[in-house]
Amino acid sequence: MILFNFIEDKSTKYAMENPAEKSKDFIRTIIEEDLKTGKNGNRVETRFPPEPNGYLHIGHAKAICIDFGIANEYNGACHLRMDDTNPAKEEVEYVDSIMQDVKWLGFDWGKHFYYASDYYEQLYKFAIELIEKNKAYVCDLNTDEIRQYRGTLTEPGKNSPFRNRTAEENLNLFEKMKNGEFKDGQCALRAKIDMAHPNLNMRDPVIYRIKHTAHHRTGNKWCIYPTYDYAHPVSDALEKITHSICTLEFEDHRPLYNWVIENITIDCHPQQIEFARLNITYTVMSKRKLLTLVQEKLVNGWDDPRLPTISGLRRRGYTPEAIRNFCERIGVAKANSTVDLALLEHCIREDLNKNAHRVMVVLDPVKVVITNYPDNQTEEFEADNNPEDPSAGKRKIMFSKEIYIERDDFREVPPKKYFRLAPGQEVRLKHAYYITCENVIKDTVTGEITEIHCKLDPQSRGGSTPDNRRVQGTLHWVSVKDAVNAEVMVYENLFTKADPDNIKEGEDFKSFINPASLKVLSNAKAEPALLGTKPGNRYQFLRNGYFCTDTDSTTGNLVFNRIVTLKDTWAKVEKKN
Ligand code: ATP
Ligand code: MG
């Protein structure tokens, strides 16, 4: 089947084939089972734990829809926790953007907003407990040595020479680590588990490292920081999370997650459940790569409409409904897969087809002069704002002797089956008249067509004739004297390669950036109804696609982003199957 060539997993397939039916995925099945057995006192408490080191992307939206969506469905709560245990990379700007994006997607954490850094004190105390129980030790091996001692998948590791330090000695050294008596990397606190464990994560993992770096919230108070593998289960348990839902790369960390909770004195044991990350064709989803694109100015900031970031999608004109709908349709699966970008585009089209007002905007204009129309006459026509929704009302459009049409809607020598304007050929002007081309005027130097002269049939007023004459083409247009100038950003895929993450050794993902990913059309002509448009307003520009008024658009300088074209490749594929 062509439809699912990027999707291997059966449950995803099921969800996509049955978009209307909310399939019970494996996570919801686990939760319902727990509710039946009363495992967590009938509580469902989840969390979404982003690291504030970048902006959220559509992959995070999938996680958000799962974490918050499940909490909502089972009358539980979902916590928003900034996973800020790594002091070097985190910034307040990211925290703010994360909060804004989660809210915009339509979710609410209520009173449950936390920072992992709020737990530093407790994390430290639990570390002391582990040391006292002889379950953690201070190790002086450096990072390279730790790696060498760790062994491989086929060979067991070797015990660190510092593994047998007494609890007393370890307590003393850990205190010194905390007091800043050692340099970065001079030693680390490691969990004492099993250097021969088949799972490498269990071979005495580091749980605290020394970093003399200020933290965005705790300043210089700490110079030792807990690792993710240690801080995460403790944070979850402190917040009494019942189901800690995360992505597949943490599956191998689950034994360690459980080990930490089982070896400290805490009265909550959340269950970690993993699901597949979302990948989409023709884009990248890793924060590191997105940061590279932003920092090297290969895009215009985190909210560049070409990026898969939530802020980029928002600026482009995506609605939260369309994104949530997309996340529901891709479903929750246990196997990694890549979803066709066409499905995301299909979801926004579906939304906008119902909700967006139709307007006429000529992106690349050429002038048409109606030779048999009076010089100073103006006429008004009424047009439906949305034929799909009568309650959207009507608006007036102005007609006059000179109009703009798309340059591409005229051919001096038309190819076969070209139903638009050509010498001697008749077309319908949407909502107005039938016109026939009589003549063209060209620039004597460049040869470019500057004016197309046409005659209209007065009997065709409103779009049909008494003899019911058929015309094949209908063009959108804008009256010259009423036209409003606009700048239109036309976007294509950011990458030329469907899977830019999948590159050969020595290749750079940046070399697959599509040089035509942004085309600026600075001479577009819009109907005057758009003069009062506000950033975030969305339209269907007839025949040209769906567009959104840009954040930087003003009355004096209208700017629009193309959200998506009208051609729905996904719907076609869907119909065939
Ligand atoms: P990256 O690896 O790009 O830095 P990350 O996973 O480290 O991303 P976090 O801020 O730690 O980013 O992610 C917060 C949550 O969102 C995690 O639970 C993570 O599993 C989830 N998440 C991140 N990327 C995706 C994705 N592509 N699809 C689904 N969930 C994701
Ligand atoms: Mg992460």
Side-chain angles (χ1 to χ4, degrees):
M1 257 206 298
I2 341 154
L3 176 57
F4 300 111
N5 54 355
F6 286 107
I7 297 146
E8 295 122 37
D9 188 86
K10 282 210 181 78
S11 49
T12 313
K13 232 183 202 177
Y14 176 83
M16 298 178 83
E17 283 168 350
N18 301 279
E21 200 171 316
K22 208 172 210 168
S23 62
K24 199 132 291 156
D25 55 68
F26 73 98
I27 301 181
R28 287 173 171 88
T29 305
I30 293 173
I31 289 178
E32 292 196 2
E33 192 54 35
D34 288 349
L35 285 172
K36 241 186 256 159
T37 60
K39 184 178 168 193
N40 301 298
N42 284 331
R43 273 185 325 114
V44 175
E45 212 136 330
T46 59
R47 86 286 167 270
F48 173 64
E51 185 177 349
N53 61 352
Y55 279 58
L56 298 182
H57 51 61
I58 180 113
H60 291 114
K62 173 179 179 181
I64 291 168
C65 287
I66 294 171
D67 295 328
F68 281 90
I70 284 179
N72 286 346
E73 273 165 56
Y74 297 100
N75 294 318
C78 179
H79 302 191
L80 177 59
R81 183 195 312 142
M82 298 298 153
D83 201 338
D84 59 350
T85 46
N86 188 356
K89 291 185 283 179
E90 287 136 11
E91 282 177 37
V92 179
E93 178 197 347
Y94 298 137
V95 172
D96 293 342
S97 75
I98 290 168
M99 293 172 84
Q100 185 190 6
D101 290 349
V102 174
K103 265 191 217 155
W104 180 76
L105 279 173
F107 297 106
D108 182 8
W109 52 87
K111 58 182 184 196
H112 297 290
F113 179 76
Y114 305 103
Y115 288 94
S117 57
D118 288 342
Y119 308 133
Y120 281 168
E121 205 65 55
Q122 281 132 304
L123 285 158
Y124 179 73
K125 286 199 183 125
F126 285 126
I128 288 179
E129 182 185 346
L130 288 174
I131 296 174
E132 283 169 343
K133 288 179 174 164
N134 217 350
K135 302 233 179 224
Y137 62 98
V138 174
C139 180
D140 299 0
L141 294 180
N142 63 33
T143 319
D144 277 345
E145 290 162 336
I146 289 182
R147 198 175 305 124
Q148 282 160 23
Y149 274 74
R150 186 178 295 136
T152 63
L153 282 173
T154 48
E155 278 179 38
K158 277 190 304 185
N159 282 352
S160 158
F162 306 100
R163 200 173 198 262
N164 289 325
R165 279 174 166 161
T166 63
E168 204 180 357
E169 197 181 347
N170 282 320
L171 285 172
N172 189 281
L173 287 168
F174 190 48
E175 170 98 18
K176 285 188 172 157
M177 278 173 66
K178 181 192 172 222
N179 292 340
E181 293 180 34
F182 301 123
K183 291 197 296 273
D184 285 12
Q186 200 175 332
C187 52
L189 186 70
R190 298 176 68 177
K192 195 170 181 174
I193 308 179
D194 179 2
M195 287 307 289
H197 200 287
N199 183 333
L200 269 73
N201 292 310
M202 297 294 271
R203 295 186 188 170
D204 292 9
V206 170
I207 60 175
Y208 261 97
R209 58 226 187 298
I210 303 173
K211 263 192 191 180
H212 290 271
T213 307
H215 184 273
H216 77 118
R217 298 193 72 243
T218 56
N220 289 313
K221 180 159 184 232
W222 297 88
C223 63
I224 53 169
Y225 291 97
T227 55
Y228 177 89
D229 279 337
Y230 172 65
H232 201 77
V234 177
S235 307
D236 279 351
L238 285 169
E239 288 176 21
K240 299 210 177 319
I241 298 301
T242 57
H243 300 87
S244 179
I245 305 164
C246 62
T247 33
L248 224 47
E249 71 270 22
F250 294 107
E251 195 170 24
D252 290 343
H253 298 243
R254 195 191 326 136
L256 179 53
Y257 182 100
N258 290 332
W259 184 92
V260 169
I261 290 173
E262 281 155 14
N263 285 284
I264 59 174
T265 308
I266 200 155
D267 59 355
C268 174
H269 191 152
Q271 180 182 0
Q272 177 179 306
I273 306 171
E274 309 87 12
F275 69 91
R277 282 179 99 81
L278 168 66
N279 297 296
I280 299 184
T281 53
Y282 298 103
T283 192
V284 291
M285 213 81 94
S286 120
K287 275 199 260 184
R288 187 178 51 79
K289 287 182 184 161
L290 294 172
L291 184 68
T292 304
L293 295 175
V294 172
Q295 281 179 339
E296 296 185 13
K297 299 205 175 350
L298 298 165
V299 294
N300 304 314
W302 283 102
D303 66 347
D304 187 301
R306 288 167 292 179
L307 290 181
T309 52
I310 309 285
S311 49
L313 292 167
R314 175 167 60 232
R315 183 165 189 172
R316 177 124 171 202
Y318 271 80
T319 61
E321 291 77 14
I323 295 176
R324 289 199 306 263
N325 189 261
F326 169 76
C327 291
E328 192 166 311
R329 288 171 103 140
I330 56 174
V332 188
K334 195 89 187 161
N336 280 320
S337 63
T338 301
V339 174
D340 198 327
L341 177 62
L343 177 61
L344 178 64
E345 296 185 335
H346 174 71
C347 291
I348 185 66
R349 273 191 203 100
E350 216 174 39
D351 183 353
L352 296 177
N353 181 42
K354 274 181 277 162
N355 300 312
H357 282 193
R358 274 61 171 166
V359 289
M360 295 201 285
V361 177
V362 176
L363 300 181
D364 179 19
V366 62
K367 195 190 274 184
V368 171
V369 179
I370 317 281
T371 52
N372 61 339
Y373 198 81
D375 279 354
N376 296 316
Q377 189 171 317
T378 306
E379 255 177 291
E380 274 181 11
F381 289 97
E382 265 206 339
D384 282 331
N385 283 328
N386 185 354
E388 301 276 319
D389 172 17
S391 75
K394 291 174 187 297
R395 71 185 186 289
K396 296 212 157 58
I397 43 179
M398 318 296 269
F399 185 81
S400 61
K401 186 182 177 75
E402 293 188 339
I403 59 167
Y404 293 116
I405 64 165
E406 298 287 350
R407 189 165 283 278
D408 193 43
D409 279 339
F410 176 79
R411 293 291 157 82
E412 206 173 2
V413 185
K416 257 195 205 131
K417 295 203 172 162
Y418 184 84
F419 298 125
R420 294 173 265 166
L421 200 60
Q425 199 154 295
E426 186 173 49
V427 295
R428 176 191 289 112
L429 293 175
K430 181 81 183 172
H431 303 301
Y433 288 105
Y434 289 8
I435 57 169
T436 306
C437 170
E438 295 182 308
N439 187 21
V440 294
I441 313 278
K442 293 182 186 172
D443 184 302
T444 47
V445 182
T446 64
E448 198 189 49
I449 294 170
T450 52
E451 275 181 17
I452 302 164
H453 287 191
C454 296
K455 202 169 73 190
L456 67 71
D457 175 0
Q459 290 206 300
S460 65
R461 193 177 191 282
S464 59
T465 53
D467 64 354
N468 278 326
R469 194 165 70 242
R470 273 172 58 89
V471 289
Q472 298 264 30
T474 300
L475 309 187
H476 61 281
W477 54 274
V478 173
S479 150
V480 169
K481 64 179 179 197
D482 300 289
V484 179
N485 288 325
E487 191 173 50
V488 178
M489 311 290 178
V490 173
Y491 302 105
E492 299 288 348
N493 296 342
L494 185 51
F495 289 91
T496 50
K497 189 171 158 50
D499 51 352
D501 278 323
N502 184 17
I503 49 176
K504 294 193 204 87
E505 219 161 291
E507 277 182 339
D508 182 356
F509 81 101
K510 288 179 284 180
S511 65
F512 296 101
I513 291 179
N514 177 5
S517 61
L518 167 61
K519 202 157 92 191
V520 181
L521 304 174
S522 48
N523 192 32
K525 305 290 179 186
E527 59 171 280
L530 283 178
L531 205 54
T533 190
K534 295 275 178 311
N537 288 355
R538 301 177 185 89
Y539 306 92
Q540 185 191 102
F541 289 1
L542 284 189
R543 299 176 65 228
N544 276 325
Y546 291 101
F547 292 79
C548 178
T549 313
D550 187 65
T551 324
D552 288 341
S553 179
T554 59
T555 313
N557 185 21
L558 298 180
V559 184
F560 297 96
N561 295 312
R562 184 170 79 187
I563 310 170
V564 69
T565 57
L566 293 174
K567 204 171 96 199
D568 194 334
T569 49
W570 185 265
K572 250 192 228 152
V573 185
E574 214 170 26
K575 229 182 236 164
K576 251 192 251 161
N577 283 270

